[in-house]
Amino acid sequence: MSSLEIQDLSVWFGHDENRVDAVKGASFAVPSGASFGLVGESGSGKSTILRAIVGLIPTWSGQIRVDGAPLGKKRPRSFFKDVQMVFQDPYASLHPRHTVDQVLGETLKLHGFKDVDTRIAKLLEDVGLGQPFRFRYPHQLSGGQRQRVAIARALAPEPSVLLLDEPTSALDVSVQAEVLNLLSDLRESRALTYLMVSHNLAVVAHMCDETAVMKDGEIVEVMGVEDMRAMTPAHPYTRHLLDSSLGYKPSDAQSA
Amino acid sequence: MEKLLDIENLRVTFPTRQGEFEAVRGISFNLGRERLGIVGESGSGKSMTGRAILRLIRPPGRVEADRLEMEGRDLLGMSEREMQRVRGEQISMVMQDPKFSLNPVMRVGEQIIEIYRFHTGASKRDAYAKAIEMLQAVSINDPERVMRAYPHEMSGGMGQRIMIAMMLVTEPKVLIADEPTSALDVSVQTQVLSIIDRLVRQRGMGLIFISHDLNLVASFCDRVLIMYAGRIVETCAADQLHQARHPYTRGLLNSLPRLDAPQPRLEALKRDPAWTLAPSVSGRI
Ligand SMILES: Nc1ncnc2c1ncn2[C@@H]1O[C@H](COP(=O)(O)OP(=O)(O)OP(=O)(O)O)[C@@H](O)[C@H]1O
Ligand SMILES: Nc1ncnc2c1ncn2[C@@H]1O[C@H](COP(=O)(O)OP(=O)(O)OP(=O)(O)O)[C@@H](O)[C@H]1O
Ligand SMILES: [Mg+2]
Ligand SMILES: [Mg+2]
């Protein structure tokens, strides 16, 4: 069980005229065992927040607290067992010359598990991939199959916080349903805490109690699931997002 | 209907440890100046269908077909050199994995400029201007920065839009778009789709739109092929997708979470072995 708190987080890349301020003073809190959503404009800094939390970007200011303890620039060893991330891009995040078996096996060994063999089989089953996939390389898998491997890898160390960056956008809707059900079950049985980025508002509403909406590096509003379902946001950008989520209208083509 | 693509009995086969694996098992369809959606579960052969049309299946994988024609020209019989001209100029494909298809050590701008000049012979200056214009068209607000950036400096959705800009800059007759908007927020998605939509309506481009987003396909496309295990199990007009009859299609529709109606659990598909055995439905009109 772990809670996650972000306070006045700013993240930037480069310096001088090349500086990009990707996140500007973001704050939110995810109680232990809760599921929190991040939605918003493409390029608004959602992935950057997740990557700053796991320590992939050194250039940040503000506070990040896991279970009340503020994180420094260096993460303690235990952090990487506790907090796991599923990356947005299932292609880039798997080593091209490692089989599924190697990917999962190495993660398990790294975190000191002994019964590696049975755990790999169980993980594959949990994410809906059978034994035939165990010895395949990433290029022999479809997009959705790769994402399931990435989720299995994140679950392997039995973390308490999962940072999920578009975990189901590469999945078909049925596998998405299975994975979301799986994530819900795991959250319940293992009391996991989720921070989840998605462009699919229905997915976020299904999974999350609260959701932050981002635009241009800033959080414009934190919205409860009831307001989302009732389509009663506080900020005009959120209203625009909710309206756009209703499907494509040819009239949009004329006005765009 | 004026045909751009004509495909009959297309098969894609991979040798594996367990023997031959048929990713696409004899599908037939054609494409006019329309928006054709392809939906279906993960692994059903959507991407391999798209890649096969462009002959982008890596050996030892094999592509076979009784017919694979672009405006009456046989694509399977072409030399690799001829195919290089077809790719980009006649048929472009936006790959499902944008970052994977961009060159990681080359600036975004150089990549767009290079592809444009290869196919049009334009001057560097014109190509630069064209590249900026295309990036703006896909709603990239700071195109000058993006031109100078490397792919890893781009967000997921920016990478996807760069790929779309790159594939449209040569004004192809057919665009195969494999999950082109899965990393975009719904607002930018609408903007990007409206550009593609205009190319279909005004320039008569043919579009194959591969997507998991059933609601989007239903509202954006003209007709839909529904794939399962390498075959087409059902076809319908896009606006009839929500009334589809096949239990597999119904299963896909029922597994969607809904914003307007909370469910404690989502319904997952219960597969029937008979679906795999049923012959492929024709997607020709
Ligand atoms: N390594 C980097 N170097 C420079 N700029 C970067 C880098 N990584 C990200 N950025 C910039 O930071 C901004 C935010 O990117 P981020 O990936 O967080 O967006 P996002 O909200 O996840 O978008 P998407 O929904 O498209 O994935 C973008 O403008 C991007 O170009
Ligand atoms: N090189 C390969 N060797 C063996 N099998 C392969 C290879 N490439 C793809 N496949 C298999 O072919 C099938 C079809 O793959 P394809 O990429 O077309 O699926 P898809 O419908 O696009 O799925 P997704 O929605 O997940 O992207 C999958 O089961 C995949 O595992
Ligand atoms: Mg992102
Ligand atoms: Mg695919």
Side-chain angles (χ1 to χ4, degrees):
Chain A
M1 295 268 277
S2 292
S3 62
L4 181 67
E5 266 166 278
I6 307 296
Q7 215 166 47
D8 202 24
L9 177 70
S10 294
V11 189
W12 60 94
F13 297 99
H15 35 73
D16 305 328
E17 75 272 16
N18 285 323
R19 177 167 162 143
V20 177
D21 287 289
V23 180
K24 297 177 264 191
S27 302
F28 59 83
V30 190
S32 179
S35 180
F36 190 91
L38 266 183
V39 303
E41 200 176 31
S42 170
S44 62
K46 304 179 297 295
S47 299
T48 301
I49 290 185
L50 268 52
R51 295 176 63 222
I53 295 172
V54 287
L56 287 170
I57 308 172
T59 47
W60 58 273
S61 65
Q63 290 241 355
I64 305 174
R65 283 192 291 268
V66 175
D67 235 4
L71 293 177
K73 297 284 143 159
K74 273 219 142 115
R75 304 285 183 277
R77 233 190 114 86
S78 60
F79 174 86
F80 296 101
K81 184 167 155 45
D82 244 30
V83 180
Q84 282 285 318
M85 173 153 172
V86 174
F87 290 89
Q88 182 168 8
D89 191 347
Y91 296 88
S93 70
L94 295 178
H95 192 293
R97 278 189 283 281
H98 287 183
T99 62
V100 173
D101 182 77
Q102 283 170 305
V103 168
L104 298 179
E106 262 158 42
T107 306
L108 286 164
K109 274 177 228 149
L110 187 76
H111 289 283
F113 291 102
K114 295 283 180 293
D115 48 346
V116 170
D117 207 61
T118 39
R119 276 178 185 267
I120 293 176
K122 176 74 170 57
L123 283 167
L124 285 178
E125 190 189 311
D126 281 349
V127 294
L129 288 176
Q131 286 300 308
F133 291 94
R134 184 157 171 177
F135 297 99
R136 289 214 194 170
Y137 290 93
H139 77 269
Q140 297 172 322
L141 300 172
S142 77
Q145 291 161 349
R146 283 181 226 205
Q147 186 63 316
R148 283 187 264 177
V149 175
I151 292 174
R153 179 180 57 186
L155 291 174
E158 304 192 328
S160 63
V161 177
L162 266 188
L163 310 178
L164 301 152
D165 198 351
E166 298 276 4
T168 61
S169 70
L171 302 179
D172 70 73
V173 291
S174 173
V175 178
Q176 167 172 283
E178 286 168 28
V179 168
L180 294 181
N181 285 341
L182 168 74
L183 289 171
S184 301
D185 292 346
L186 288 168
R187 181 154 80 96
E188 206 159 289
S189 64
R190 302 188 191 178
L192 297 180
T193 307
Y194 291 160
L195 175 57
M196 176 168 171
V197 175
S198 176
H199 286 305
N200 187 323
L201 300 180
V203 165
V204 171
H206 180 72
M207 295 295 291
C208 305
D209 329 309
E210 267 192 318
T211 298
V213 182
M214 290 190 74
K215 181 166 169 42
D216 292 333
E218 288 174 26
I219 293 181
V220 298
E221 123 168 63
V222 175
M223 167 170 55
V225 64
E226 294 312 324
D227 279 330
M228 195 188 246
R229 290 201 190 278
M231 310 260 279
T232 49
H235 195 278
Y237 176 69
T238 316
R239 149 98 5 228
H240 179 60
L241 269 190
L242 285 165
D243 287 343
S244 308
S245 76
L246 298 175
Y248 183 80
K249 294 186 272 319
S251 60
D252 299 341
Q254 268 83 55
S255 66
Chain B
M1 187 187 66
E2 194 183 345
K3 272 185 239 158
L4 293 166
L5 283 174
D6 193 357
I7 296 162
E8 206 173 288
N9 200 16
L10 175 70
R11 290 181 306 280
V12 178
T13 315
F14 294 101
T16 70
R17 283 194 187 188
Q18 288 94 358
E20 301 251 292
F21 175 75
E22 271 195 292
V24 179
R25 302 187 298 148
I27 65 171
S28 303
F29 66 96
N30 52 17
L31 176 75
R33 303 182 185 283
E34 60 175 331
R35 293 157 297 189
L36 176 69
I38 303 184
V39 301
E41 67 173 355
S42 183
S44 57
K46 304 179 299 292
S47 298
M48 292 306 141
T49 300
R51 297 182 70 105
I53 294 169
L54 281 169
R55 298 216 342 238
L56 287 172
I57 303 287
R58 279 187 232 115
R62 294 196 313 274
V63 179
E64 292 151 316
D66 293 350
R67 194 200 320 259
L68 184 56
E69 288 178 358
M70 168 74 196
E71 291 190 314
R73 293 172 70 208
D74 173 30
L75 294 173
L76 282 181
M78 282 187 190
S79 69
E80 186 47 38
R81 246 185 105 100
E82 287 173 297
M83 260 330 274
Q84 268 177 21
R85 283 280 158 198
V86 168
R87 290 182 203 125
E89 242 163 81
Q90 308 263 320
I91 312 173
S92 279
M93 181 162 177
V94 177
M95 300 284 178
Q96 193 171 5
D97 39 359
K99 292 211 178 150
F100 205 64
S101 2
L102 289 168
N103 184 342
V105 295
M106 207 168 148
R107 290 177 199 274
V108 167
E110 290 167 47
Q111 302 192 42
I112 305 178
I113 288 173
E114 184 180 278
I115 197 165
Y116 186 63
R117 296 189 68 205
F118 177 80
H119 289 292
T120 62
S123 72
K124 271 197 179 149
R125 210 161 151 206
D126 289 349
Y128 184 88
K130 184 76 184 170
I132 294 271
E133 184 193 313
M134 277 317 296
L135 288 175
Q136 271 164 341
V138 293
S139 304
I140 290 209
N141 304 326
D142 43 359
E144 282 88 7
R145 167 174 80 99
V146 168
M147 290 284 279
R148 286 195 308 272
Y150 289 96
H152 78 270
E153 298 172 339
M154 298 291 99
S155 79
M158 290 163 92
Q160 211 163 38
R161 281 179 281 164
I162 290 164
M163 277 301 297
I164 293 171
M166 213 154 114
M167 292 301 122
L168 289 179
V169 75
T170 55
E171 310 201 344
K173 293 180 181 163
V174 170
L175 178 69
I176 303 172
D178 194 353
E179 294 282 356
T181 61
S182 61
L184 303 182
D185 67 78
V186 282
S187 160
V188 169
Q189 167 173 287
T190 302
Q191 291 161 25
V192 168
L193 289 179
S194 71
I195 301 163
I196 297 179
D197 197 9
R198 256 176 285 161
L199 291 173
V200 175
R201 286 165 196 269
Q202 293 169 8
R203 280 222 350 264
M205 185 177 78
L207 172 72
I208 297 180
F209 188 80
I210 300 172
S211 177
H212 288 139
D213 191 333
L214 298 165
N215 291 326
L216 186 64
V217 168
S219 60
F220 180 64
C221 293
D222 299 305
R223 65 189 173 107
V224 194
L225 311 178
I226 298 122
M227 285 188 72
Y228 181 76
R231 288 190 179 154
I232 299 171
V233 296
E234 185 171 20
T235 71
C236 65
D239 56 8
Q240 300 295 307
L241 183 59
H242 286 276
Q243 284 81 50
R245 299 247 175 76
H246 197 285
Y248 165 65
T249 318
R250 293 250 48 97
L252 291 178
L253 288 164
N254 290 338
S255 59
L256 289 170
R258 291 174 55 167
L259 193 53
D260 57 349
Q263 304 125 284
R265 271 190 99 66
L266 299 171
E267 227 172 274
L269 202 61
K270 287 172 208 68
R271 289 171 185 74
D272 183 338
W275 300 346
T276 314
L277 301 174
S280 196
V281 171
S282 171
R284 302 165 144 263
I285 51 169

